[in-house]
Amino acid sequence: MSLENLRKNLSSIDKQLVEIIAKRQEIVSQIGEFKRTSGTGTRDYAREKDVLDMGRKQAKDVGVDPDLIEAFLKMLIRASLESQERDRVAAEGQGDGSRALIIGGAGKMGRWFVDFFASQGYSITVADPSVKNGSSTFKFWKDAGLDFDYIVVAAPLAVSGKILEELATFKPRGLIFDVGSLKSPLINGLEKLRKAGCKVTSIHPMFGPDTRLLSDHHLIFCDVGNQTATKAAKKLFSSTMVKQLDMGLDDHDRVIAYVLGLSHALNIAFFTALAESGEASPLLAQMSSTTFDSQLLVSAAVAEDNPHLYYEIQKLNKFGLGSLDALCNAAMKIRKAIAEDDEDTFVELMKKGREYLSLRG
C-alpha cells in the first residue's frame, strides 16, 4: 500500500477512537448520575485499579506496550472523574441565586473561584482594579456594596490584609474568607473581622488556577475563632473530591515555609545557577538527562509564574527565613563533603533523605 493509503487507514482508526471515547463519556455521565442518586462517592480506587490491570493484561495479549495503554487509560479515567465532579458540583450546587462577591476576581485564583461559584448557581459579582465598571463588575470593591452571602478575598497578599481590615469596619452579613497562600499578613484583618462579630474563616487552596479535578488535591482550612463560618466554607466543597485539612494559622505558615518557600527557592536557585553559569550556559541549553530534564520542567513553571507573588510568599512569611537557612545549610553540607573528600558524609546525607522520603510513601 502507498503511504497515502496507510495514512488514510490510520486516520479512519483515529476517527473510530474518538467516536468510541465519546460513547465512553456518555456511559461515564450515566454512571455519575447513578452515583449521585445512590449516594455513592465519585471516586472508586479499586475500580480504577481493575481497569488499569485489565488494560495492561490485554495490551500484553495483543503485543502492545502496557505502559502506553496504562497512560492512555489514566487519561480517560481522569477525564471521567473531571466530568463526574463537575456534574456533581452543578447538581448539588448550593447557590440557588445566592450572591457572591469575588474581590480580585480577575486574577488567576480569583477566576477559579468565579467559575466554581458560578457552576453552583451563585450570582457572581467581580471586584478587581483591572475590570471596567458594569452591572456585575467593579474596579473598587466598596462600590459593589456588601450585601452578599459570600465575600471571597482573592487579591495579592499585602492588599488582602488591608481589605480584610477594612471589611471589619463595615461588618458584612455574609461569610467572608480569604484564599491566601500565607496567613501572617492577614492575621490582623482576620482578627478584626472576628472581633466585629463577622462570619469569617481562612482557606488555602493547595492547587493552581488551571486545576480542573480536585481529587488528590488539598484544601487547608484555618479556623479563626468562628467554627460556624469554617463549617459553612467546608460545605461549599462537599460535592468535590478535594481533601480537606484543618490547620492553625501559625502552623500553616510554618509548614508553608517549606512546602512553598523552600520548593520555590530551590527552583529559583537552580535556574539562577544555570543562567549565571558563564561560558557553560550555551552548552547547558543543549544538554539533556532524565534528572536534569525533570528539574528543568519544574523550574520552568516557577520561572513563568508571577515573581511578585513568589517574593511575597518568601518575604511576608515570618517563618520564611528558617526554610531558606535550612536550604543554605544543606547546600553547604554537600559542598563541604565534596571539598573535603568526605564520601561517608555524602552517602549519609543521601541515606537520611531516602529514609525521610520513604516515610512520605
Side-chain angles (χ1 to χ4, degrees):
M1 295 182 70
S2 68
L3 179 59
E4 183 179 354
N5 286 334
L6 289 170
R7 284 176 172 169
K8 284 183 179 179
N9 288 343
L10 188 60
S11 296
S12 177
I13 293 173
D14 289 342
K15 184 179 180 180
Q16 292 175 50
L17 281 173
V18 173
E19 292 172 349
I20 290 172
I21 291 173
K23 291 178 180 178
R24 187 183 193 279
Q25 289 300 97
E26 289 179 9
I27 298 173
V28 163
S29 296
Q30 294 171 11
I31 291 174
E33 184 177 356
F34 178 85
K35 287 178 177 179
R36 291 194 302 274
T37 56
S38 64
T40 306
T42 301
R43 191 157 196 180
D44 185 339
Y45 289 95
R47 170 60 182 166
E48 289 177 32
K49 183 178 183 302
D50 288 342
V51 171
L52 296 178
D53 288 345
M54 177 185 64
R56 291 188 68 88
K57 181 181 183 304
Q58 187 178 0
K60 291 178 182 178
D61 292 341
V62 297
V64 178
D65 182 0
D67 291 339
L68 170 63
I69 298 304
E70 180 173 338
F72 177 65
L73 288 173
K74 281 183 176 179
M75 289 178 61
L76 290 178
I77 290 171
R78 185 168 187 83
S80 299
L81 290 172
E82 287 177 2
S83 175
Q84 290 182 18
E85 185 173 71
R86 286 195 302 271
D87 290 346
R88 184 181 287 261
V89 168
E92 299 180 7
Q94 306 163 48
D96 193 26
S98 297
R99 305 177 69 222
L101 170 65
I102 316 296
I103 302 176
K108 289 184 178 180
M109 283 309 298
R111 288 197 297 269
W112 190 94
F113 276 91
V114 167
D115 293 340
F116 180 73
F117 273 91
S119 70
Q120 299 192 64
Y122 286 88
S123 174
I124 310 298
T125 297
V126 170
D128 194 289
S130 67
V131 304
K132 295 181 179 180
N133 287 330
S135 60
S136 59
T137 55
F138 297 86
K139 293 183 72 68
F140 304 105
W141 63 268
K142 292 179 184 177
D143 294 339
L146 294 172
D147 186 24
F148 292 91
D149 301 287
Y150 293 89
I151 298 177
V152 181
V153 181
L157 287 168
V159 177
S160 290
K162 294 177 182 178
I163 291 173
L164 292 170
E165 291 185 29
E166 290 187 76
L167 280 170
T169 65
F170 295 100
K171 300 180 180 180
R173 66 172 179 82
L175 173 67
I176 306 165
F177 63 83
D178 71 275
V179 299
S181 53
L182 283 181
K183 303 308 177 186
S184 299
L186 310 179
I187 288 177
N188 287 340
L190 293 169
E191 180 64 13
K192 286 184 178 181
L193 282 163
R194 185 190 66 80
K195 288 182 177 179
C198 298
K199 292 168 59 179
V200 60
T201 191
S202 184
I203 74 172
H204 179 188
M206 297 296 289
F207 50 84
D210 296 328
T211 302
R212 298 177 61 190
L213 176 66
L214 292 183
S215 177
D216 295 329
H217 290 289
H218 291 87
L219 182 56
I220 299 174
F221 292 84
C222 297
D223 189 277
V224 297
N226 189 323
Q227 293 183 359
T228 301
T230 302
K231 186 176 180 180
K234 287 183 174 182
K235 188 178 179 182
L236 278 172
F237 298 89
S238 61
S239 57
T240 74
M241 293 180 283
V242 76
K243 296 179 180 178
Q244 300 186 2
L245 296 178
D246 293 302
M247 197 174 290
L249 289 173
D250 272 357
D251 288 337
H252 174 276
D253 281 13
R254 188 180 293 108
V255 171
I256 292 302
Y258 285 86
V259 174
L260 294 185
L262 176 62
S263 59
H264 291 172
L266 176 63
N267 284 284
I268 293 170
F270 177 75
F271 62 63
T272 299
L274 292 178
E276 297 178 354
S277 58
E279 293 180 3
S281 184
L283 290 174
L284 286 168
Q286 303 173 40
M287 297 299 292
S288 177
S289 78
T290 303
T291 305
F292 187 61
D293 290 351
S294 296
Q295 188 63 54
L296 279 175
L297 282 173
V298 180
S299 295
V302 171
E304 288 297 319
D305 219 328
N306 184 344
H308 303 288
L309 171 62
Y310 277 49
Y311 179 77
E312 279 191 327
I313 290 173
Q314 300 288 347
K315 179 62 179 177
L316 299 181
N317 190 343
K318 62 183 179 181
F319 301 103
L321 288 179
S323 62
L324 294 179
D325 289 341
L327 176 60
C328 292
N329 291 337
M332 287 305 299
K333 285 181 180 179
I334 297 170
R335 188 189 188 285
K336 185 172 183 289
I338 299 302
E340 297 179 357
D341 297 324
D342 187 355
E343 184 175 357
D344 290 341
T345 296
F346 187 90
V347 170
E348 186 61 26
L349 289 174
M350 292 198 66
K351 284 183 177 178
K352 286 183 178 179
R354 189 180 302 134
E355 289 172 1
Y356 168 75
L357 295 172
S358 68
L359 295 176
R360 292 179 58 89

